[in-house]
Amino acid sequence: IPFIPLPVPILLGVGLLLFPTATKNLRRMWTFLSIFLLSIVMIFSIYLSIQQIFLSCIHQNVWSWTINNEFSFEFGYFIDPLTSIMSILITTVGILVLIYSDNYMSHDQGYLRFFAYMGFFNTSMLGLVTSSNLIQVYFFWELVGMCSYLLIGFWFTRPIAANACQKAFVTNRVGDFGLLLGILGLYWITGSFEFQDLFEIFNNLILNNRVNLLFLTLCAFLLFVGPIAKSAQFPLHVWLPDAMEGPTPISALIHAATMVAAGIFLVARLLPLFIVIPSIMYIISLIGIITVLLGATLALAQKDIKRGLAYSTMSQLGYMMLALGMGSYRSALFHLITHAYSKALLFLGSGSIIHSMEAIVGYSPDKSQNMILMGGLTKHVPITKTAFLIGTLSLCGIPPLACFWSKDEILNDSLLFSPIFAIIACSTAGLTAFYMFRIYLLTFEGHLNTYFLNYSGKKSGSFYSLSLWGKEEEKKLNKNFGLVPLLTMNNTKRASFFCNKTYKISNNVRNQIFITVENFGLNTRTFYYPHESDNTILFPMLILVLFTLFIGAIGIPFNQEGIDFDILSKFFTPSINLLHKNSQNFVDWYEFLRNATFSVSIAFFGIFIAYCLYKPFYSSLLNLTLLNSFQKWNSKRIHWEKLINFVYNWSYNRGYIDSFFKTSLIESIRRLAKQTTFFDKRIIDGITN
Amino acid sequence: RIRPIRLIGLCASLITFLYSPVPRIQFDSSTAKSQFVESLRWLPYENINFYLGIDGISLFFVILTTFLIPICISVGWSGMRSYGKEYITAFLIREFLMIAVFRMLDLLLFYVFPESVPIPMFIIIGVWGSRQRKIKAAYQFFLYTLLGSLFMLLAILLILFQTGTTDLQISLTTEFSERRQIFLWIASFASFAVKVPMVPVHIWLPEAHVEAPTAGSVILAGIPLKFGTHGFLRFSIPMFPEATLCSTPFIYTLSAIAIIYTSLTTSRQIDLKKIIAYSSVAHMNLVTIGMFSPNIQGIGGSILPMLSHGLVPSALFLCVGVLYDRHKTRLVRYYGGLVSTMPNLSTIFFSFTLANMSSPGTSSFIGEFLILVGAFQRNSLVATLAALGMILGAAYSLWLYNRVVSGNLKPDFLHKFSDSNGREVSIFIPFLVGVVRMGVHPKVFPD
């Protein structure tokens, strides 16, 4: 299966090298081809998953690397419910993102390159989920990391993007290092790489108490380091927000739905191994809960819409990790699925917003993704708004939507597991609701804030747009300047704001056409406003909305009827039986209702706070000048100020973890490297000469 | 007037290359013995023969050698205005010597051939080198290798004294006493360690690379670096098993230090060639770790990176050579944003950067993985340290790639904007094919 999408990148690469112009002319054809191939995979994987309900796991070796007669690597596929769920997830999200990006990337020079990378990524991701042994996992694990490197650094002319992708890759490499050592250690203990043999031997060893438990725990932990990095868990999460430098479809596909889920997938895959070591389970859940809290707090004050979403992804991944650490396999995967669809929806929505904002504020991520510049988009992009709202509600855990069901399960399980974790998890659910609605309100409610560039400019602190377009703009700048002040003269009403606007306009060539329209006031709906995206962008979002609405249904426990009609747990029964017996009858209706009301009320509480804080603040901009309202808002809550400032700063500076890493690790390595170079130059070289 | 000469040189090397896989076809993989033995009576009174043969391991090194030589000649195609004749001659002589090194079955030849390989290299660096320091680098290169091999000569004499012959296959079956083994082992180690190069004696390599012309670097990274590990594999390990066992911790320590140390040093270099040179030191030390792991994964795994290392750094040096031809500088800080002017080269550069940090699908991955598997069973701490080198390797490779290729173009420093031309691309393609072929399907060995 995984190799079906592979021809596209290969052919594209060859085509671009040999016949550049011809390939570029046929670019739409490539898109169709890649979508078509991925659809085949999707149908195939759905077929497989239907088969899974009746059959047991399929395991087959296809190919082997024989190094010597005694030692060979088997390459094969191993399909069980987990695999089929993951592959359905990857293919559906993948197809939608491909359709979406056909439009989103259509103006980009790297259109074909983008599709080549996407095809390559889908291949390696499918390879990862179908792999039958640890070596294969490692192989594709690295390939996925490499694709993510390529895709994050897609706009490589931007130094930020280049740094971000480097950071992502190196951070992931740290995880790979742990994973590799874990694999080697396990091989040493058990002498096998195959999952099935591995679990058997491992359990035997544990039962007979023949191995050093400490060493075993160490190996398991090292294995777990890989997922920590890939799924952006606590110590190695730093790459995920930076990874948002990539194009938005990439963020949707890789950094929300699939690649970050790879870590969860691996932990789920190796859960039979982890579950026999209680301490490692404890570590997993601990890291999960730290990430939940950290991600949520960091998401509170992000300006960039994608970064905010990235931190929320991190927090949700923490939930999944927590669930896995508690041994509730089912709810973790359930949350994985629901979250993937909701978050993909949110990211695609934000992409659509960014796309429409780009026309106004300029092609720099500092601006087009800046939430403070947004606001009041409801009028202009109604469909996107609805989709985004549904995604937000789902993520907050409002009942009919997908994430509610899964998150509720996790919260419930955490209550059974340990009260402290439960408290943290529940309060974070409130925080989730808060920051998600903060994002939503900032973006869609109130009024378009691009006109208050004075304020936002101070905050973002950087007016220059550094991109491919940078040079052209400066050339035309002079031409613009003659035009704009003239126009500002005419308009007396909003003269004060136009001084800012001139700057903005000079920054962006494309807007000069609309200047004449715009100075008649804000009320007229003109071309100048952000406009709704094209159909190809909207279509995947609508599909995702459907998914978000109804995917929760597969996991709803219909226990009150006395029959276990829960599709998902039925689906996972073969694998769960091995893990814990009592997952089938886990809640009765009453308890479920109680929990549900509790979590929903928490979510509503969060939403309420967000509404209080952000709604009036931005609507007050209507009447008052900005500075006044800001002061007013502050004076009301003077005793809160200190706390809020602290939280805000903590959150805004990403919990100081980045800077900590920078100062401690990087600097020390640099110093060490400096010393070795010194040693190399002076001493070794010096002795001989 | 230069044209017919270089054409002849290219044709000669190409014919050799096309002929070199022939033994592969006729190869009888059922025996581990050497085949296609050629023997000449050389010094009859001392029972020393000119004795060449081929076996499963050396076969591929021979193919690698014959593959690299035509490439080196075509790299210098337009560059060799002066001394064209000598250029071709030097490379063809080297080809002969290097093939002989991999095929030798006689101990004295073990001294003669590896020590005569630096002579043409010395000339290549000295004559076609790029900077003022080239004389010093050439001397350093020469002296280091010579110093090591003196001990080797002593060891060979001692073996000759005991066995009465220098036939390698006879010597392999001879039992040495333990003390003598250790002495012999140390003596041979001194020679091979310089060639690998192990850490305290590695300094000649970056110097030589930096000063050598592109083709010289390519061939130096491709073939002579393998002499050390090849020597270990042929000479030290099978002939002195007890001494090898005793010295494994020593080798492990030295190699692990070397990996970390050179990786860190790499990340501070500013010269493109030096970065690649130091990284290849790190890789070769990983090979020695694998070689001294007493299991099939380690030893089998250590041959694969040796082969892949013949391709990857060579190709990277070629990339640097292309850049140097365009912009006449090798300092990292002058580069940036090359992708917008030379997309093809950037793609190629990227694929070899990936191969250099042993990402899966490339030739180095499987070998390094096997080495780590082997080493972990012997000593998990060393494997951990070696794997730490992987992180650092990714860090410096990506750092290099990002600095050179992405980011903003620096038009102040880079004046010519031309992508790699057809000749250069066609040079890279066989490398790419080889790297991917070995990475996807590494079953290349008959044994």
Side-chain angles (χ1 to χ4, degrees):
Chain A
I1 317 169
F3 295 103
I4 294 175
L6 192 60
V8 176
I10 291 174
L11 286 176
L12 260 181
V14 173
L16 274 181
L17 202 65
L18 300 181
F19 324 101
T21 45
T23 322
K24 271 177 191 157
N25 290 335
L26 291 172
R27 61 184 205 167
R28 289 304 278 273
M29 194 193 80
W30 292 105
T31 320
F32 284 127
L33 190 63
S34 52
I35 291 173
F36 174 68
L37 288 175
L38 205 56
S39 315
I40 292 176
V41 182
M42 180 181 74
I43 291 161
F44 196 60
S45 59
I46 289 174
Y47 164 72
L48 272 178
S49 66
I50 292 167
Q51 224 177 21
Q52 280 301 309
I53 298 179
F54 308 108
L55 293 172
S56 57
C57 318
I58 307 168
H59 180 213
Q60 197 174 344
N61 285 327
V62 181
W63 189 28
S64 70
W65 284 354
T66 317
I67 308 304
N68 295 99
N69 291 331
E70 300 104 278
F71 187 78
S72 65
F73 292 153
E74 301 289 324
F75 263 47
Y77 54 86
F78 177 74
I79 292 168
D80 67 342
L82 181 61
T83 304
S84 47
I85 280 283
M86 285 299 285
S87 54
I88 289 176
L89 182 72
I90 293 162
T91 46
T92 42
V93 177
I95 288 171
L96 294 174
V97 166
L98 278 179
I99 297 171
Y100 178 87
S101 46
D102 170 45
N103 192 307
Y104 190 85
M105 302 301 292
S106 59
H107 300 297
D108 202 283
Q109 294 170 347
Y111 181 86
L112 282 172
R113 194 159 49 91
F114 182 81
F115 276 93
Y117 289 169
M118 288 290 262
F120 198 46
F121 172 76
N122 282 327
T123 307
S124 43
M125 195 65 206
L126 286 169
L128 177 65
V129 295
T130 50
S131 53
S132 70
N133 54 30
L134 281 172
I135 294 188
Q136 215 174 332
V137 163
Y138 183 73
F139 189 96
F140 286 111
W141 189 265
E142 289 247 312
L143 279 186
V144 166
M146 193 194 84
C147 292
S148 112
Y149 168 82
L150 283 173
L151 287 166
I152 296 168
F154 186 75
W155 288 317
F156 35 63
T157 43
R158 266 204 323 244
I160 317 165
N163 288 338
C165 63
Q166 189 177 359
K167 189 172 176 184
F169 197 89
V170 174
T171 317
N172 268 319
R173 204 67 201 237
V174 175
D176 294 346
F177 159 74
L179 183 65
L180 178 66
L181 284 181
I183 292 172
L184 294 180
L186 279 181
Y187 179 73
W188 194 40
I189 296 169
T190 61
S192 168
F193 290 120
E194 300 288 321
F195 285 127
Q196 287 174 322
D197 305 348
L198 197 66
F199 299 152
E200 271 176 32
I201 299 170
F202 204 72
N203 278 331
N204 284 337
L205 285 176
I206 292 274
L207 286 177
N208 303 336
N209 220 346
R210 269 191 291 161
V211 278
N212 186 0
L213 196 67
L214 192 70
F215 184 70
L216 218 59
T217 316
L218 187 70
C219 283
F221 179 70
L222 284 172
L223 269 182
F224 180 55
V225 171
I228 288 181
K230 198 62 99 196
S231 290
Q233 299 297 300
F234 157 57
L236 299 175
H237 66 274
V238 285
W239 64 273
L240 187 64
D242 283 354
M244 295 302 143
E245 289 300 327
T248 312
I250 296 307
S251 314
L253 179 63
I254 297 188
H255 307 117
T258 54
M259 191 182 95
V260 288
I264 310 288
F265 163 77
L266 189 64
V267 176
R269 174 66 95 203
L270 294 175
L271 204 61
L273 199 150
F274 289 142
I275 211 160
V276 289
I277 315 168
S279 52
I280 199 75
M281 292 300 275
Y282 191 71
I283 292 174
I284 292 177
S285 52
L286 191 67
I287 284 184
I289 199 81
I290 292 173
T291 318
V292 166
L293 195 62
L294 196 72
T297 46
L298 295 192
L300 288 179
Q302 295 301 321
K303 281 188 309 177
D304 188 319
I305 182 168
K306 283 170 75 182
R307 277 180 194 223
L309 288 177
Y311 276 116
S312 103
T313 308
M314 185 181 137
S315 167
Q316 302 300 318
L317 288 168
Y319 271 118
M320 295 172 212
M321 214 46 116
L322 173 67
L324 282 172
M326 294 179 307
S328 52
Y329 185 72
R330 186 187 111 81
S331 53
L333 288 175
F334 189 24
H335 195 58
L336 173 65
I337 297 163
T338 51
H339 167 258
Y341 286 118
S342 312
K343 197 43 81 58
L345 172 65
L346 283 175
F347 266 112
L348 292 188
S350 73
S352 153
I353 295 162
I354 291 165
H355 218 52
S356 51
M357 289 299 286
E358 265 180 352
I360 304 170
V361 291
Y363 287 83
S364 115
D366 253 358
K367 295 177 175 182
S368 61
Q369 299 178 10
N370 199 333
M371 283 191 291
I372 291 159
L373 296 182
M374 297 176 191
L377 291 178
T378 316
K379 275 182 291 184
H380 314 301
V381 284
I383 304 175
T384 310
K385 180 238 169 187
T386 322
F388 202 88
L389 178 64
I390 287 173
T392 310
L393 284 174
S394 157
L395 213 59
C396 298
I398 303 299
L401 300 167
C403 278
F404 161 71
W405 305 105
S406 53
K407 190 182 266 184
D408 195 58
E409 253 174 50
I410 293 180
L411 292 182
N412 195 17
D413 283 352
S414 70
L415 206 62
L416 296 175
F417 185 69
S418 132
I420 303 165
F421 281 9
I423 291 167
I424 298 175
C426 289
S427 55
T428 318
L431 278 179
T432 311
F434 174 72
Y435 65 73
M436 283 316 295
F437 264 83
R438 173 180 174 272
I439 291 174
Y440 170 74
L441 292 172
L442 279 181
T443 314
F444 292 107
E445 300 298 323
H447 286 262
L448 199 58
N449 288 318
T450 34
Y451 301 101
F452 305 116
L453 263 181
N454 191 17
Y455 162 68
S456 55
K458 221 178 350 184
K459 260 197 140 176
S460 63
S462 52
F463 270 123
Y464 57 90
S465 64
L466 248 181
S467 62
L468 287 168
W469 296 271
K471 280 204 195 95
E472 304 163 40
E473 283 160 19
E474 276 172 30
K475 269 186 228 159
K476 308 228 171 159
L477 194 132
N478 294 330
K479 208 167 76 184
N480 254 343
F481 259 114
L483 179 70
V484 173
L486 204 78
L487 289 167
T488 27
M489 289 303 203
N490 297 339
N491 195 325
T492 47
K493 199 177 164 190
R494 292 203 161 261
S496 59
F497 290 120
F498 261 87
C499 54
N500 307 318
K501 226 192 283 176
T502 50
Y503 196 90
K504 176 200 74 205
I505 288 160
S506 61
N507 242 352
N508 191 346
V509 193
R510 292 172 193 233
N511 289 343
Q512 57 182 328
I513 316 155
F514 308 119
I515 286 166
T516 43
V517 189
E518 156 209 354
N519 57 17
F520 288 112
L522 284 166
N523 298 327
T524 42
R525 281 189 67 178
T526 60
F527 226 69
Y528 184 67
Y529 283 111
H531 54 90
E532 187 67 284
S533 314
D534 289 344
N535 285 334
T536 34
I537 287 193
L538 292 178
F539 169 70
M541 282 168 55
L542 291 179
I543 304 257
L544 279 174
V545 166
L546 288 183
F547 270 124
T548 320
L549 283 174
F550 298 116
I551 202 81
I554 64 164
I556 303 170
F558 290 101
N559 276 6
Q560 78 276 23
E561 291 169 16
I563 317 157
D564 190 53
F565 193 61
D566 188 343
I567 304 168
L568 196 71
S569 49
K570 198 172 174 184
F571 201 60
F572 283 128
T573 320
S575 40
I576 293 170
N577 277 343
L578 210 133
L579 306 178
H580 55 149
K581 305 288 190 271
N582 57 350
S583 74
Q584 297 291 327
N585 47 353
F586 73 97
V587 272
D588 58 53
W589 183 242
Y590 169 71
E591 203 179 334
F592 170 73
L593 201 66
R594 205 191 57 195
N595 281 317
T597 29
F598 182 59
S599 62
V600 171
S601 61
I602 282 182
F604 271 119
F605 183 64
I607 294 172
F608 177 70
I609 293 178
Y611 204 72
C612 284
L613 280 184
Y614 286 96
K615 177 76 174 176
F617 171 36
Y618 279 94
S619 59
S620 67
L621 291 179
L622 240 178
N623 316 320
L624 301 165
T625 57
L626 185 95
L627 210 63
N628 280 344
S629 88
F630 198 60
Q631 278 169 349
K632 202 174 163 190
W633 179 67
N634 268 350
S635 62
K636 269 182 200 166
R637 295 171 176 79
I638 258 170
H639 51 288
W640 275 101
E641 198 177 11
K642 221 171 186 179
L643 184 66
I644 286 175
N645 270 345
F646 174 71
V647 173
Y648 186 84
N649 281 335
W650 158 270
S651 174
Y652 187 66
N653 295 323
R654 308 168 177 193
Y656 304 105
I657 290 171
D658 273 27
S659 54
F660 171 73
F661 271 154
K662 203 174 228 165
T663 49
S664 67
L665 284 177
I666 313 254
E667 281 306 311
S668 64
I669 284 178
R670 238 175 234 173
R671 211 165 296 143
L672 202 61
K674 206 170 180 178
Q675 275 167 4
T676 52
T677 322
F678 177 77
F679 187 74
D680 206 63
K681 268 205 178 131
R682 299 279 168 248
I683 302 189
I684 295 185
D685 206 13
I687 285 172
T688 51
N689 298 312
Chain B
R1 206 167 59 82
I2 194 87
R3 180 170 278 271
I5 298 171
R6 63 190 184 193
L7 213 58
I8 290 170
L10 187 64
C11 286
S13 57
L14 270 180
I15 289 166
T16 325
F17 172 56
L18 291 179
Y19 180 68
S20 61
V22 171
R24 171 80 177 84
I25 299 160
Q26 300 168 350
F27 198 78
D28 177 17
S29 54
S30 55
T31 62
K33 277 187 183 165
S34 298
Q35 301 172 25
F36 309 103
V37 174
E38 298 158 28
S39 180
L40 239 71
R41 292 184 70 77
W42 185 26
L43 295 172
Y45 44 90
E46 278 290 354
N47 208 358
I48 300 172
N49 293 321
F50 187 86
Y51 192 31
L52 298 177
I54 205 165
D55 67 357
I57 298 169
S58 53
L59 180 61
F60 288 93
F61 287 107
V62 171
I63 295 178
L64 184 67
T65 313
T66 54
F67 165 71
L68 284 176
I69 290 288
I71 282 174
C72 289
I73 289 177
S74 54
V75 163
W77 197 251
S78 53
M80 45 175 179
R81 294 272 173 270
S82 55
Y83 305 111
K85 212 179 342 179
E86 289 80 356
Y87 184 90
I88 301 285
T89 322
F91 273 99
L92 288 182
I93 288 176
R94 290 198 74 187
E95 180 171 20
F96 159 69
L97 290 173
M98 288 186 298
I99 293 175
V101 167
F102 288 120
R103 296 189 52 189
M104 65 213 165
L105 288 171
D106 189 277
L107 281 178
L108 196 61
L109 299 185
F110 233 107
Y111 175 72
V112 172
F113 282 127
E115 298 327 312
S116 47
V117 167
I119 297 169
M121 191 67 213
F122 179 76
I123 295 168
I124 289 171
I125 294 178
V127 175
W128 293 279
S130 49
R131 285 193 307 182
Q132 289 305 311
R133 277 185 73 163
K134 65 188 181 182
I135 303 297
K136 187 195 152 219
Y139 272 123
Q140 203 177 31
F141 170 67
F142 200 69
L143 285 177
Y144 262 106
T145 38
L146 203 63
L147 188 70
S149 51
L150 271 180
F151 292 100
M152 184 71 191
L153 186 61
L154 277 179
I156 289 171
L157 288 177
L158 194 62
I159 293 171
L160 181 64
F161 172 70
Q162 182 171 348
T163 61
T165 176
T166 53
D167 190 324
L168 185 67
Q169 278 158 330
I170 294 171
S171 317
L172 281 180
T173 53
T174 318
E175 291 280 330
F176 295 96
S177 70
E178 196 158 327
R179 283 194 56 178
R180 182 161 287 179
Q181 268 197 25
I182 289 174
F183 172 74
L184 287 173
W185 190 89
I186 291 171
S188 62
F189 173 76
S191 160
F192 297 139
V194 171
K195 295 208 184 67
V196 168
M198 310 287 273
V199 126
V201 285
H202 66 282
I203 199 78
W204 62 269
L205 183 73
E207 285 289 335
H209 270 310
V210 168
E211 301 310 324
T214 306
S217 296
V218 169
I219 203 75
L220 179 59
I223 308 299
L225 276 192
K226 312 295 173 297
F227 288 169
T229 41
H230 183 253
F232 278 131
L233 197 62
R234 271 302 166 75
F235 192 84
S236 304
I237 294 175
M239 220 182 277
F240 322 118
E242 280 91 16
T244 305
L245 220 57
C246 292
S247 62
T248 307
F250 171 64
I251 292 273
Y252 271 6
T253 320
L254 218 56
S255 305
I257 291 173
I259 289 173
I260 304 285
Y261 173 85
T262 46
S263 301
L264 285 174
T265 316
T266 312
S267 52
R268 288 287 300 183
Q269 299 303 319
I270 50 165
D271 190 308
L272 288 172
K273 269 191 166 177
K274 256 192 181 166
I275 293 171
I276 301 166
Y278 270 107
S279 84
S280 68
V281 175
H283 285 121
M284 289 316 289
N285 276 289
L286 191 60
V287 171
T288 54
I289 285 187
M291 201 156 272
F292 280 84
S293 308
N295 46 32
I296 195 78
Q297 293 96 334
I299 295 174
S302 62
I303 298 166
L304 273 172
M306 277 162 77
L307 279 180
S308 99
H309 191 270
L311 296 176
V312 176
S314 316
L316 281 172
F317 278 122
L318 281 176
C319 290
V320 175
V322 171
L323 289 180
Y324 186 73
D325 283 348
R326 302 274 189 291
H327 305 300
K328 301 295 172 211
T329 178
R330 277 196 309 254
L331 295 186
V332 176
R333 67 165 173 274
Y334 291 130
Y335 286 101
L338 280 183
V339 69
S340 36
T341 54
M342 16 194 1
N344 286 348
L345 185 78
S346 309
T347 317
I348 291 165
F349 191 40
F350 181 64
S351 17
F352 290 115
T353 305
L354 281 182
N356 199 30
M357 58 196 184
S358 69
S359 114
T362 59
S363 52
S364 11
F365 168 71
I366 182 72
E368 293 194 6
F369 189 81
L370 278 174
I371 287 175
L372 289 176
V373 170
F376 200 90
Q377 293 173 28
R378 172 77 192 228
N379 186 336
S380 47
L381 182 66
V382 165
T384 311
L385 289 176
L388 202 64
M390 264 177 41
I391 300 181
L392 292 170
Y396 64 70
S397 306
L398 280 184
W399 174 80
L400 172 65
Y401 176 77
N402 267 353
R403 281 294 187 82
V404 172
V405 170
S406 40
N408 288 322
L409 194 68
K410 296 176 179 166
D412 306 343
F413 303 118
L414 310 177
H415 300 294
K416 284 184 187 166
F417 305 117
S418 58
D419 205 349
S420 45
N421 53 30
R423 178 174 63 90
E424 284 154 351
V425 169
S426 57
I427 286 174
F428 282 120
I429 281 175
F431 279 103
L432 268 180
V433 171
V435 165
V436 173
R437 160 76 169 73
M438 276 177 66
V440 181
H441 189 77
K443 192 187 168 188
V444 285
F445 295 106
D447 55 343

